[in-house]
Amino acid sequence: MEKIRCGWCEKDDLYRKYHDDEWGRPVYDDDTIFEFLILESFQAGLSWYTILSKRGNFRKAFDDFDYRKIALYNEDKIEELMNDSGIIRNRLKIKATVTNAQKFQEVQKDFGSFSAYIWGFVEGKPQDHKPKALSDVPATTEISDLLAKDLKKRGFKFMGSTVVYAHMQATGMVNDHIESCFTRK
């Protein structure tokens, strides 16, 4: 019997594997949360498939998404990244990654962990919208609006409500798997 999945992931095996193994699964680990923040910020204006297909290149280019190292990147490192054809070479997004790594650590200091901060917006547990179809899945919500506004106030870049909501979906803060998707079982 064939597995029923959310329709967006049926493009190929890369998408199916990501859907089956990662998307919508709650993540409470700061390292993984930061990785998704960076990937989602690079997605702005692009397809998630483009980012996902370059994920290994991003991991290599950005020191395995180590926010402690990224926070210390200088202009030479930014130029090196601008010359890396394996990633999205957008200077504003690369600089935003450095800023976001610095701000990420500030949030950790204020809340004990970034996870405690971000999950506080959903009271520590995933929200389940139980969409019947992809058309029932929103691009933003009131909570993503609030979180995006708070991140902006804290100095984060490329973290608008749509990016934030995609991050919430990816890290399982919301469960937007359609009701017939096998991952719900």
Side-chain angles (χ1 to χ4, degrees):
M1 192 163 126
E2 189 143 343
K3 291 179 179 174
I4 296 173
R5 293 178 172 89
C6 301
W8 63 262
C9 75
E10 292 296 357
K11 180 176 184 158
D12 67 6
D13 287 338
L14 175 68
Y15 246 18
R16 280 187 285 275
K17 183 170 176 26
Y18 171 68
H19 169 273
D20 294 358
D21 298 341
E22 291 184 84
W23 192 75
R25 304 233 192 273
V27 175
Y28 297 95
D29 153 58
D30 274 6
D31 292 336
T32 306
I33 289 171
F34 183 75
E35 176 179 348
F36 277 107
L37 273 178
I38 296 317
L39 293 173
E40 296 293 352
S41 70
F42 270 93
Q43 182 199 354
L46 301 169
S47 76
W48 180 242
Y49 187 82
T50 298
I51 302 304
L52 199 57
S53 65
K54 294 178 177 279
R55 189 178 191 181
N57 298 338
F58 274 102
R59 186 172 280 129
K60 185 178 173 192
F62 285 96
D63 291 299
D64 288 321
F65 299 107
D66 184 335
Y67 52 86
R68 295 162 208 87
K69 289 180 180 178
I70 294 169
L72 301 174
Y73 284 4
N74 59 23
E75 284 300 320
D76 289 341
K77 179 64 176 181
I78 289 168
E79 283 308 314
E80 178 186 317
L81 291 166
M82 284 297 297
N83 290 310
D84 187 334
S85 62
I87 65 168
I88 307 301
R89 295 179 287 183
N90 178 308
R91 187 175 303 278
L92 291 176
K93 290 180 181 181
I94 291 170
K95 285 183 156 201
T97 300
V98 177
T99 298
N100 291 348
Q102 295 163 351
K103 301 306 176 185
F104 190 87
Q105 291 179 93
E106 289 175 18
V107 169
Q108 285 178 315
K109 286 180 193 145
D110 291 345
F111 290 86
S113 70
F114 194 85
S115 180
Y117 161 75
I118 201 165
W119 278 92
F121 282 84
V122 292
E123 298 174 2
K125 57 186 184 298
Q127 295 190 322
D128 194 345
H129 297 137
K130 295 184 174 92
K132 291 186 183 345
L134 283 176
S135 58
D136 297 331
V137 177
T140 63
T141 62
E142 236 177 83
I143 292 174
S144 69
D145 293 346
L146 288 171
L147 179 51
K149 188 175 181 180
D150 197 67
L151 287 166
K152 184 176 183 175
K153 186 177 80 181
R154 292 174 185 280
F156 284 78
K157 308 285 185 209
F158 282 94
M159 289 291 147
S161 189
T162 303
V163 168
V164 167
Y165 192 70
H167 182 268
M168 292 171 69
Q169 290 172 308
T171 59
M173 292 175 67
V174 294
N175 183 353
D176 277 342
H177 285 283
I178 59 170
E179 282 189 336
S180 59
C181 183
F182 84 95
T183 62
R184 286 191 160 275
K185 293 169 181 51

